[in-house]
Structure formats: C-alpha cells, structure tokens
Amino acid sequence: MNAPAAPAGARASDRRSRANAFAARVRRDFPALQQEVGGKPLVYLDNAASTQKPDAVIDAIAHYYRHDHANVHRGMHELARRATEAYEGARRKVARFLGAADPAEVVWTRGTTEAINLVASAWSHTFLGEGDEIVLSTQEHHSNLVPWQLAAARAGARLRYLELDDEGRLLLDRLPELLSPRTRMVALSHVSNALGTVNPVAEIAKQVHAAGALLLVDGAQGAPHLPIDVATLGCDFYAASGHKMCGPTGIGALWGRRELLEQMEPYQGGGEMISVVEREYSTWAEVPHKFEAGTPNVAGAVGMGAAADYLTGIGHAALAEHERTVLEYALDRLAAIDGIRLFGPPAAERCGVVSFLLDHAHAHDVATILDADGVAVRAGHHCAQLVMKHFGVPATSRASFYLYNDTEDVDRLIEGLDRVKAIFG
Ligand code: PLP
C-alpha cells in the first residue's frame, strides 16, 4: 500500500531542503562563491549576465596552458597535435551537449552575439534579398535584433515583430499572420534574459518551416538551463555562450544545419579558413573551419567543453528540479512584498530569472543597496529595450538563479529589499 501523501506544505519544505543540500554540494566546486562581499558571504544572483566557474573549468584551462598549448591544425609537432585534439575534442563535447550528431555543424564563435552576427551576415549575404522579411520578437536581446537590422538595411529587407502579452509571453497566435511567402528567417530567443520566459521552440519551428522559412534560436539563456537537442527543437541555427553556462568568456558556439553552413559564404577571411589562395581568389576549407578565420580561442573552447561536461555530470533533470524549487520560492517571497511589481509569466513557464520594481526606488538604487549587503543583482534594461518599452518602464532590477543558489540566497535578497524599503519608504 502507498504511504499517505505528505501535506503540500511539508512536500514544499522537503523540496527546499533537498535544493539547499544540492546547492551546498555544488557551491564547493565554485571558488569565487567562497568569498565575502560587504562583510557577508557573497550571494551571486547575476547569472543571466554571466555565471561563475567551477574548478573543473578553471583547471581544464590551466592544464591546457600548462601542458598542451600551441597553435592548432597547422603544426607537425606533439604540442600542436595535443592542442588540436583539445580544440576538436571540445567541439565534440559541445556538439553532444547541444544534441548535434555532427561536430562539424558546430562553429566556434566569441559568443552568442558573434554567432548571430555570423548568420545575419553570411546567410543574409546569399539568401536575403530586397522585399524579403525577417520575423523577430519584442522579447529579444539586442544581440538578436541589431544584427538583423544591419542585415535588413543591407539587403532592403523588412523586419516584422511578434508582440508579447501582459506577462511577457510571445503572442504565438499572431505568428501565422506574420509568416508570409517573403519570410526568409525567424529569429527568436529560447529563453528571455529579461523575463525568464521559455518559448516553445519546437512548436514554432513547425510553423516556420511550413511557411518555407528558417528558424534561428538565440540560446544564450536556453543552453545553461534546459536540455538542448537541436534535432528535437527542429531549429536551423542555435547560438550559445560559454560564459553563461559555467564556461569562460570569449567563447561560444553556433550550431547550424550542415547543408546551410555549406551554402553560406565565409563571414571573415584569413588563415585556416581557406583551401587554396591564388592572387585574385581563394577557395574555402570545409565547414566548420570555413567560418573560423585566424588563430582561435583554443583555451576558451577547452573551457566550454569542460563546462558542458560539468553540467552533463550534474544532469539536466537535477538542474531543472533545483532551479524550479528556488524560483518558486523566490516568486512566492517576492510577491508577498508590498509595493513590488513582478514581470514575466508564472514559474512553470520560465527559467530562474525574476525582474521586478519596487515602488519609490529606482532599479539601480535597489542593486546598489543590495550590493552593500553582498547580494549581486543587475539593474537596467538588460539589453532588451523593447521588453522595457512593452512594459512602459526604463529599467528593472533582475535576480537570476543558477545551480549553486538556494533558498537562503533568496532570503538574503528579501532582507536586502526590506532595507531598500526602509530607506525609500
Ligand atoms: N541573447 C541573450 C538572450 C542573452 O541573455 C545574451 C547575454 O546576455 C546574449 C544574447 C548575448 O550573449 P553574449 O554577450 O555572450 O554574446
């Protein structure tokens, strides 16, 4: 016979205890979290901007530089072979992490921004013409807007926008009317960095393909939190940043369907991306190297590979369960504050990001006062000015959670907000 079900309150408190035990174990892996700020243990809630790094990543980078560094691909000596293997091995790890069967479909970039610029530049060069249309949304980070504005201006193409509802969800029932025979590309985020909204990419991909267009997904906030399988998502391009998923800065990945990458012209010219160079013309290396001109960020790639391994070792199910528990607790506690305005959909539809405003206190003052208490949050437009316009505000404060945060971090945030309220009345 089954044991009688525990009351809901007890179940929630069990989940919180499990989440706190999980975070306590994980935090030991992150040296930067072992410090005090403002005389108190650091509470790091700025993960949507950049995450902290575990020893596994720091050690992988240090090991690479201590033992294996040389330039890749072109050397005939032992260290060049090792560096090349480290670089290409990291590509295989990131390909696995994204669910890509073919590592050649993964192009190293400086991050999500460069990955989107690569497509907006190289793909648009061949496939975007006058009168063509690109569909974006008002939820996008500037990285998924400005490159398309530049591409559209070059080609004489038109930008069309999917709007948001009052809770920051995409108004998907309007997508069919935005998709026309002239739509060539739809570019949307997997997860909003300003609101945490998770978008139903697989459902969107079907509609986009039925209209004969391509789908690029800005995965800067998706890859760190959700299990990514580009085949199941059904998109054509997926962009991610190392530093938002426990890896180093200055490295990211663009996954693209091989036949598309093969049809695209190079984005930059230089060493390593060519097959033959003559006086007047050159021919290109195979993908992905065609898009990797110059000496690449080998140590960054090694670090991103180690980060992918680290997160895989934690397991996406454990990560999701943990983040859900902390997020629900945060939303409950924040919602109980008098004079707070919370932005974004309910917990079930978002990742661990909470944007908010307090009556009478500017978002930046909130962040400054929290910082004095050792609580790191971000304030501003979060590179999502169209989201701010949608809600009619210039800025929000944003707390964003990751695998090392727990409900005590949320308590410290709430205590800090109580202080803000005491100061601003
Ligand atoms: N897209 C989203 C949704 C983001 O949150 C960010 C970074 O905040 C980016 C793109 C840009 O990422 P990066 O600065 O790593 O290129």
Side-chain angles (χ1 to χ4, degrees), residues 48 111-113 141 143 191 193 218 220-221 241 243-244:
T112 302
T113 304
H141 187 283
S143 296
V191 175
N193 67 306
D218 169 351
Q221 303 292 340
S241 294
H243 71 102
K244 295 196 195 273

Side-chain angles (χ1 to χ4, degrees), residues 354-357 362-364 366-367 377-380 382 395-399:
V354 186
S355 263
F356 59 91
L357 279 177
H362 192 282
H364 287 94
V366 172
V377 300
R378 186 151 293 247
H382 314 297
T396 67
S397 305
R398 180 186 72 184

Side-chain angles (χ1 to χ4, degrees), residues 75-304:
M76 302 295 289
H77 58 81
E78 170 66 16
L79 291 197
R81 274 193 294 277
R82 276 195 232 152
T84 303
E85 177 44 34
Y87 183 64
E88 294 302 332
R91 193 192 308 274
R92 291 193 291 276
K93 290 178 183 188
V94 170
R96 261 200 309 278
F97 186 79
L98 297 175
D102 182 358
E105 293 185 326
V106 172
V107 179
W108 292 117
T109 64
R110 282 191 298 126
T112 302
T113 304
E114 193 181 44
I116 297 172
N117 273 281
L118 193 164
V119 180
S121 181
W123 172 86
S124 301
H125 176 79
T126 308
F127 295 103
L128 192 68
E130 194 162 349
D132 285 343
E133 294 174 2
I134 299 168
V135 175
L136 307 168
S137 90
T138 53
Q139 199 187 69
E140 302 313 307
H141 187 283
H142 299 163
S143 296
N144 200 26
L145 294 175
V146 183
W148 299 112
Q149 291 172 346
L150 293 169
R154 277 191 298 264
R158 177 177 172 218
L159 301 177
R160 305 194 69 189
Y161 279 91
L162 198 53
E163 304 290 337
L164 309 183
D165 72 9
D166 291 347
E167 294 193 303
R169 297 180 194 87
L170 298 177
L171 282 172
L172 283 178
D173 50 349
R174 301 218 185 133
L175 184 57
E177 68 206 52
L178 286 176
L179 294 171
S180 83
R182 297 307 304 264
T183 312
R184 297 283 171 266
M185 177 68 78
V186 177
L188 297 172
S189 50
H190 197 173
V191 175
S192 154
N193 67 306
L195 304 166
T197 323
V198 180
N199 295 318
V201 169
E203 187 187 311
I204 295 170
K206 285 192 195 113
Q207 292 189 52
V208 169
H209 290 153
L214 299 177
L215 177 65
L216 175 139
V217 178
D218 169 351
Q221 303 292 340
H225 301 279
L226 304 169
I228 306 301
D229 183 310
V230 286
T232 310
L233 288 175
C235 55
D236 301 288
F237 296 102
Y238 194 94
S241 294
H243 71 102
K244 295 196 195 273
M245 45 173 274
C246 295
T249 52
I251 190 76
L254 170 71
W255 171 83
R257 282 203 288 116
R258 190 177 186 130
E259 64 272 26
L260 291 172
L261 293 175
E262 281 173 349
Q263 288 163 19
M264 284 157 52
E265 285 295 298
Y267 168 55
Q268 295 175 333
E272 285 305 298
M273 48 74 72
I274 50 83
S275 172
V276 173
V277 175
E278 298 289 353
R279 284 181 181 231
E280 308 297 340
Y281 71 92
S282 303
T283 58
W284 315 137
E286 297 292 311
V287 295
H289 302 113
K290 172 170 92 169
F291 296 110
E292 294 177 358
T295 301
N297 181 359
V298 184
V302 167
M304 189 166 175

